[in-house]
Amino acid sequence: MTELSPAQRTAGTARIVLTAGILFAAEALWRGSIARTVMALGLLVFGGGLLLFAKHAD
C-alpha cells in the first residue's frame, strides 16, 4: 500500500471540509438563517483555501 503525500492528505481534508460546507450552506439557506449561511460560507472559503494550498504544494 502506498503512502499519501502531505499534499494529498491536505487535498482530502479540503474535500471533506468543502462537502461539509456545501451541506451546511444548503441547510442554512433552507431554514433562511443568515448567520448560519455566513458560517457555511466561511467553511467553503477555508476548504477552498486548503485545496488551493494542496494543489500548489504538489
Side-chain angles (χ1 to χ4, degrees), residues 21-57:
I22 289 169
L23 293 174
F24 190 32
E27 185 268 337
L29 289 172
W30 179 261
R31 293 182 184 250
S33 173
I34 294 172
R36 291 180 90 147
T37 304
V38 170
M39 288 176 55
L41 290 175
L43 268 177
L44 289 172
V45 168
F46 179 69
L50 272 177
L51 195 57
L52 286 175
F53 178 75
K55 290 207 182 264
H56 286 293

Side-chain angles (χ1 to χ4, degrees), residues 1-10 58:
M1 180 180 235
T2 62
E3 296 244 353
L4 296 174
S5 71
Q8 289 172 323
R9 288 194 307 263
T10 302
D58 224 7

